[in-house]
Amino acid sequence: MKIFSPFVANGVYYPNWRIYRNEPPSSLKLGLISHVFYSFAWVKLDGTVYLSDEWADSQIDVDGTKGCLRSFQNLKAKHSHLKVVLSIGGGGKGSDNFAAVAANPASRERFAHTARELVNEYGLDGIDIDWEHPSDHKQGHNYIALLAAIRQHLPSPHYVLTSALPAGEWALRNIDLCNAHQYLDYINLMTYDFSGPWVPQSGHHAQLFSPRHPHNEAARLSADSAVSYVTSKSVPPSKILLGIPAYGRSFLGCHNPGQKYSGSAGEEGTFEYKDLPRPGAIEYTDENLGAAWCVGGDGGWVSYDNPATVKIKAGYARNNRLGGVFFWTGTADGEGSRSLVEASFSRLHTQ
């Protein structure tokens, strides 16, 4: 029997579209998971929160019931430690209406009211705000006003309220984090995507620490630098969840970080973690940086996390008294000794 510490989170995001890949809620390692962030619900311009895919969320036959949300409701009865949180927003369309909604008291109120209706209808434990992201100080102010409105309808401690936030200071500086955390149980710090097709050189996309001699500005970013920035704003470490990607970023034609790659600017090159290392590739781990990669096969140089780096990151979370970790996504995890969720659980809960 797995024993959960009430003070350490081992969370995963579950994207509703994964049901179309034959990955139902029951496929997650729920005995090792404390929080599932069910993504995504969306918000209309008038503030109404609604399900982004009603077929997947409430109608499809899955796990002996109708819809993934009902499945999670039933699974919670079997896993008493589990909290299921409805994540609202996401990239692109999912975040398009947040700025307008948060700027208006009436739409903030409708957001909070309709979010609570969904939480109660499906027996959920709370909501996660994944607004990507407030782009100036005014939006940052309105973001906090939205959190305050939500807390009126979803009071602590009965309901969970979390928020996924970027790891870069360029985004975080728009938010008064000291004020924001008063309303939040956790800040899900997205400590990944430091490097990718938007930069001209290969680089680790989720390193725990920066190298001594960074080859570009992206290489200066790290999970540690993000955590340090957030805690410098008087956010308690216990409210920070360290984000870990269950996917790798590929840089074709490269063998090391800091090299120009053959992909086109803006071209996504990703592999799910469970498909790594690539066939014919060799996997490496840098325990000083807290980063892994593989070279060879069809991916070129691929940056990702493996069980060794996840244990390092989970150890960092423990040593720095963070709230725990989360994964984007739980559905991309490996099996057996290659499981990232298992690796983090074992490190987080080892005495």
Side-chain angles (χ1 to χ4, degrees):
M1 181 179 178
K2 306 298 182 182
I3 304 299
F4 273 86
S5 164
F7 307 110
V8 183
N10 196 37
V12 303
Y13 277 80
Y14 177 85
N16 57 3
W17 59 88
R18 300 305 294 229
I19 190 60
Y20 302 122
R21 299 189 188 181
N22 195 31
E23 295 170 351
S26 60
S27 68
L28 296 175
K29 300 176 180 68
L30 295 174
L32 306 175
I33 293 168
S34 62
H35 295 71
V36 172
F37 301 97
Y38 186 93
S39 50
F40 288 105
W42 288 344
V43 58
K44 298 178 181 179
L45 268 175
D46 69 354
T48 301
V49 177
Y50 66 102
L51 301 179
S52 64
D53 184 343
E54 288 197 3
W55 178 253
D57 300 332
S58 64
Q59 298 171 6
I60 194 171
D61 289 323
V62 53
D63 293 334
T65 189
K66 294 288 186 180
C68 292
L69 286 171
R70 292 292 183 206
S71 172
F72 274 117
Q73 188 174 19
N74 291 342
L75 289 166
K76 281 181 58 182
K78 301 176 183 178
H79 301 276
S80 60
H81 64 274
L82 183 66
K83 293 188 180 299
V84 180
V85 179
L86 182 65
S87 186
I88 304 170
K93 180 180 177 180
S95 288
D96 284 349
N97 293 332
F98 263 111
V101 169
N104 183 283
S107 54
R108 290 197 299 263
E109 178 68 15
R110 179 166 287 147
F111 184 107
H113 175 74
T114 54
R116 169 151 183 176
E117 286 185 327
L118 286 174
V119 166
N120 290 344
E121 180 178 358
Y122 292 101
L124 304 174
D125 295 287
I127 65 170
D128 172 55
I129 301 299
D130 193 358
W131 174 0
E132 299 183 12
H133 50 83
S135 60
D136 55 39
H137 288 290
K138 183 176 181 180
Q139 289 188 13
H141 174 81
N142 294 337
Y143 162 82
I144 293 173
L146 178 62
L147 297 181
I150 294 166
R151 268 303 185 204
Q152 290 295 314
H153 287 263
L154 296 169
S156 177
H158 185 71
Y159 294 99
V160 175
L161 178 57
T162 67
S163 186
L165 290 177
E169 182 177 342
W170 55 272
L172 293 172
R173 67 189 178 192
N174 295 322
I175 301 169
D176 182 346
L177 294 170
C178 182
N179 193 359
H181 92 76
Q182 307 293 332
Y183 302 101
L184 295 169
D185 293 289
Y186 291 122
I187 292 173
N188 295 355
L189 199 56
M190 296 185 285
T191 43
Y192 39 79
D193 290 344
F194 302 142
S195 289
W198 50 90
V199 295
Q201 296 169 305
S202 58
H204 295 294
H205 91 96
Q207 58 194 2
L208 179 57
F209 298 107
S210 300
R212 184 171 297 177
H213 302 291
H215 60 270
N216 61 15
E217 286 303 310
R220 296 181 186 278
L221 298 173
S222 69
D224 175 67
S225 69
V227 169
S228 296
Y229 179 81
V230 173
T231 55
S232 76
K233 302 303 178 182
S234 300
V235 175
S238 61
K239 289 195 172 185
I240 298 172
L241 299 190
L242 190 74
I244 302 176
Y247 63 94
R249 289 201 170 274
S250 168
F251 299 87
L252 293 174
C254 296
H255 296 86
N256 292 291
Q259 296 180 324
K260 291 185 178 180
Y261 61 98
S262 56
S264 301
E267 178 185 351
E268 283 289 336
T270 60
F271 292 102
E272 294 202 325
Y273 166 72
K274 60 187 175 184
D275 297 324
L276 294 168
R278 300 302 295 157
I282 300 175
E283 183 175 79
Y284 300 89
T285 301
D286 186 326
E287 295 186 355
N288 293 319
L289 292 184
W293 65 97
C294 66
V295 182
D298 59 357
W301 187 84
V302 185
S303 166
Y304 58 99
D305 275 294
N306 65 11
T309 63
V310 165
K311 287 181 179 179
I312 293 169
K313 289 183 175 183
Y316 172 93
R318 274 186 55 134
N319 293 339
N320 289 278
R321 301 183 182 278
L322 304 189
V325 305
F326 74 89
F327 294 89
W328 177 272
T329 65
T331 54
D333 192 24
E335 297 298 328
S337 64
R338 292 291 295 178
S339 170
L340 303 183
V341 170
E342 171 81 43
S344 61
F345 180 90
S346 64
R347 185 64 186 90
L348 288 170
H349 296 275
T350 300
Q351 296 301 319

